[in-house]
Amino acid sequence: MSTIPSPTPATGPVPPPARESDAVTLAQTAERAAHELLAQPAPHLAQPAPHRLADVVPAPAQVQPAPADDWVLPAEAVIVASADPAALAVATQLAELLRPATGYPLPVTHSAPPADAAARSLPAADTAGPVPAGGIALVLDEAADLGAEGYRLDVARDGVRLTAATATGLFHGVQTLRQLLPPAIESPTPVTERWALPGGTITDTPRFPYRGAMLDVARHFFTVEDILRVVDHLARYKLNHLHLHLTDDQGWRIAVDSWPRLTSVGGATEVGGGPGGHYTKADYRRIVSYAAARHITVVPEIDLPGHTNSALVAYPELAPEKIAPPPYTGTEVGFSYVDPADERTYDFITDVVGEVAALTPGPWLHIGGDEAFKVKGEVYTGFVERVQRIVAGVGKTVVGWHQLAPAGHVDGRVLQWWGTTADDPTTAEAVRRGARLIVSPGNHAYLDMKYAPDTPIGHDWAGLIDVRKAYDWDPGTHVADVPATAVLGVEAPLWTESVTSLADIELLLLPRLPAIAELGWSPRVTHDWADFRDRLAGQGPRWERAGITFHRAPEVPWPSTPTIPTQRDATPTATATP
Ligand code: TNX
């Protein structure tokens, strides 16, 4: 990461729509560079902030640097929030993020709007509540033109003001604030550091409303703690959906009271013959509420009609021959299915969908639908249409892999594209009939693909996916004959046939997850590999500080000398690999 201001497409005035010419972008870049170079360094500080205001992943929509306004967090800073429980909760999260490394007390308070605010005709920001007063203010302003998830961050001489119309916007703004502080902010123990922030204003809103990652907990079981840590990684990069692939041939992971053998029998296996495991309803609720506190919606997937061997082992009555198959711990796909001709199958699905829906506050329920090679043609579409009605009947919106496309439309239905050719007339036709798309191209967004031939785990059926390949595509135009307006967003799936530990998960997630997050969040006009590569490099020292495993992708210019300042306490061991 450079400390010299350099031109970047991520900064400047309101970005033009992506279709405008490169010339406009170039002119803006030049203007921004000139602005940064001519601006005076902060006269009130001994040294400027080490980061540029644009050093954020995902790239913010608009960045207006004001180096003369660089600011240093003082030890006595107070975090003050609007008098709203959700805003206060974000303020508390911010304090909890900053306290370990700074060792500062950072008390959290709230301010009520002055009773005579209207009479004194104070500016809107003041009537909305708190002012930074040398610390950090989190302002919930429902009138702010920042949408459901946007925020504005102002770093000025009197402190930091974060403004949003929602607590979600404030939460995303906190993630930006965190990245603008020195990497040592990730230290779990106090360090001596100058907690400088670059001055100026960021105004930021997402490109797509759905930005997610998927974790396959069926092929290998992962603990609740592992999942919570993945949620933390999503939150850092402003992802807002966690899709859990809860059932597959190798294991059934979610408790269903009305069909208890699903977990007691179906949950006791995994790839490679390990013990498997499952989430109790309390476990699942804990995941959902931890995610919700980080403004992330859980999308549960019950994969049907294929990928169901574990259910058939537990309940042979669901199998076409009514005979229990042997438990499966291999990695083949496409051999199992629940009997689409038996009414008992639909009783089963009604019960499972009902219980999972009742546990899930989010609007989505994913019904899989992929690789059901033995359920074909009208039998398949008839089955899917019935399951779609069951899901709609419990008030949830259907999500499914794009194999659902030929089935009839149901209100709101969302298809998840995982193809590698980007050209599928059946999916395009389903979109014309009203479906929206989550794009997860196997050859760009699949986090289980190897980075390179020597990646120790992962697949390569969709090719190798290095960081550039994960970054260089456009979810808005990717699938032929699907307009950007039909794209709900983007998701990065992580299948776990070869993934057995949290370190494995992190190795495949980082640094590609931030690439996918940027495609989902940032306006297309900011898309620039060279700029992204540099900003991404700046994340490495943060992950090291936080003890997070990541792949040191050779195409990313990771800082060669760690920027680790003096420790007051022991440094946690950095676990970067390989
Ligand atoms: C295809 S992607 C699958 C999964 C595998 C994955 C491995 C999809 C909907 N189905 O069953 O785990 O490939 O990459």
Side-chain angles (χ1 to χ4, degrees):
M1 172 146 351
S2 168
T3 55
I4 300 164
S6 60
T8 162
T11 63
V14 183
R19 66 180 178 282
E20 283 192 19
S21 71
D22 287 350
V24 175
T25 314
L26 268 175
Q28 283 188 342
T29 304
E31 184 189 318
R32 281 191 292 269
H35 176 82
E36 289 196 17
L37 288 168
L38 290 174
Q40 296 295 313
H44 61 296
L45 299 179
Q47 313 156 34
H51 292 95
R52 297 176 310 157
L53 192 61
D55 285 338
V56 176
V57 180
Q62 295 175 47
V63 182
Q64 292 157 302
D69 287 338
D70 286 2
W71 180 75
V72 176
L73 179 75
E76 64 282 4
V78 171
I79 299 177
V80 56
S82 296
D84 172 281
L88 274 164
V90 179
T92 303
Q93 288 169 313
L94 172 61
E96 286 166 358
L97 284 174
L98 303 184
R99 280 179 195 139
T102 62
Y104 299 167
L106 299 171
V108 174
T109 66
H110 65 81
S111 81
D116 60 345
R120 287 160 54 200
S121 57
L122 291 176
D126 288 338
T127 56
V131 290
I136 303 174
L138 268 54
V139 184
L140 195 61
D141 176 3
E142 282 166 15
D145 188 19
L146 293 161
E149 294 191 275
Y151 66 92
R152 193 179 68 240
L153 174 70
D154 295 296
V155 179
R157 300 270 188 104
D158 67 337
V160 172
R161 186 197 302 267
L162 203 49
T163 309
T166 63
T168 302
L170 290 177
F171 184 82
H172 293 322
V174 161
Q175 305 314 313
T176 294
L177 178 56
R178 184 182 184 190
Q179 287 189 26
L180 290 171
L181 285 161
I185 199 63
E186 299 292 339
S187 170
T189 53
V191 289
T192 303
E193 175 64 285
R194 194 172 152 268
W195 302 110
L197 281 169
T201 296
I202 289 179
T203 311
D204 203 11
T205 53
R207 180 179 181 198
F208 294 107
Y210 186 108
R211 307 174 305 281
M214 187 207 82
L215 183 64
D216 169 9
V217 293
R219 268 50 178 273
H220 280 101
F221 178 72
F222 297 94
T223 64
V224 172
E225 296 300 331
D226 290 343
I227 296 184
L228 304 189
R229 174 130 159 164
V230 169
V231 167
D232 288 339
H233 299 337
L234 266 57
R236 265 177 202 271
Y237 299 106
K238 303 185 174 78
L239 293 165
N240 62 358
H241 286 83
L242 173 67
H243 168 183
L244 290 176
H245 182 76
L246 289 167
T247 66
D248 214 304
D249 292 318
Q250 299 87 345
W252 185 285
R253 308 296 179 210
I254 180 70
V256 177
D257 296 340
S258 51
W259 297 73
R261 289 170 56 83
L262 288 172
T263 46
S264 63
V265 175
T269 44
E270 64 184 351
V271 168
H278 71 272
Y279 308 111
T280 63
K281 288 191 167 179
D283 289 337
Y284 182 83
R285 284 197 191 93
R286 187 166 160 230
I287 295 165
V288 165
S289 75
Y290 186 91
R294 284 147 191 82
H295 303 267
I296 290 171
T297 302
V298 171
V299 181
E301 178 185 352
I302 305 297
D303 202 348
L304 297 164
H307 289 278
T308 40
N309 198 75
S310 61
L312 307 183
V313 176
Y315 291 102
E317 64 198 271
L318 302 173
E321 311 297 336
K322 312 300 167 197
I323 297 167
Y328 187 68
T329 58
T331 60
E332 296 299 314
V333 297
F335 56 89
S336 62
Y337 62 103
V338 289
D339 186 356
D342 191 329
E343 279 307 303
R344 193 74 183 125
T345 293
Y346 300 96
D347 295 342
F348 162 75
I349 294 170
T350 303
D351 291 342
V352 169
V353 162
E355 291 196 34
V356 172
L359 283 175
T360 304
W364 318 108
L365 209 148
H366 199 304
I367 57 170
D370 58 315
E371 298 171 325
F373 300 142
K374 297 194 170 165
V375 187
K376 299 192 176 92
E378 284 174 12
V379 178
Y380 177 81
T381 53
F383 172 88
V384 167
E385 285 163 13
R386 231 174 130 175
V387 178
Q388 289 184 161
R389 285 197 296 275
I390 292 171
V391 171
V394 296
K396 296 294 180 193
T397 301
V398 170
V399 188
W401 300 106
H402 73 264
Q403 279 70 29
L404 295 193
H409 186 64
V410 65
D411 254 7
R413 152 171 119 125
V414 174
L415 303 180
Q416 183 167 8
W417 170 262
W418 62 280
T420 54
T421 62
D423 184 8
D424 179 23
T426 315
T427 296
E429 172 56 23
V431 168
R432 277 192 286 279
R433 285 185 280 130
R436 288 170 297 169
L437 224 56
I438 294 169
V439 263
S440 304
N443 53 341
H444 291 283
Y446 264 36
L447 298 176
D448 55 313
M449 293 304 130
K450 291 174 181 282
Y451 294 93
D454 62 353
T455 306
I457 50 173
H459 302 130
D460 61 6
W461 66 260
L464 300 170
I465 304 184
D466 62 14
V467 184
R468 182 161 194 170
K469 180 121 198 199
Y471 179 72
D472 260 345
W473 61 285
D474 182 355
T477 57
H478 188 74
V479 183
D481 299 321
V482 171
T485 48
V487 175
L488 189 64
V490 58
E491 187 181 291
L494 178 54
W495 302 98
T496 60
E497 287 93 335
S498 67
V499 175
T500 58
S501 67
L502 177 64
D504 286 355
I505 292 176
E506 290 181 340
L507 180 75
L508 293 174
L509 229 61
L510 300 170
R512 290 180 294 194
L513 185 72
I516 304 297
E518 178 147 322
L519 296 181
W521 179 280
S522 305
R524 191 64 192 172
V525 70
T526 66
H527 193 86
D528 181 315
W529 162 249
D531 182 66
F532 174 70
R533 186 179 55 188
D534 287 351
R535 285 181 287 109
L536 186 61
Q539 302 299 302
R542 293 169 195 276
W543 298 330
E544 282 170 3
R545 279 293 193 167
I548 299 168
T549 300
F550 66 102
H551 168 62
R552 263 184 190 275
E555 65 272 37
V556 177
W558 309 106
S560 48
T561 41
T563 48
I564 298 185
T566 331
Q567 292 283 298
R568 276 198 251 140
D569 274 310
T571 313
T573 317
T575 52
T577 58

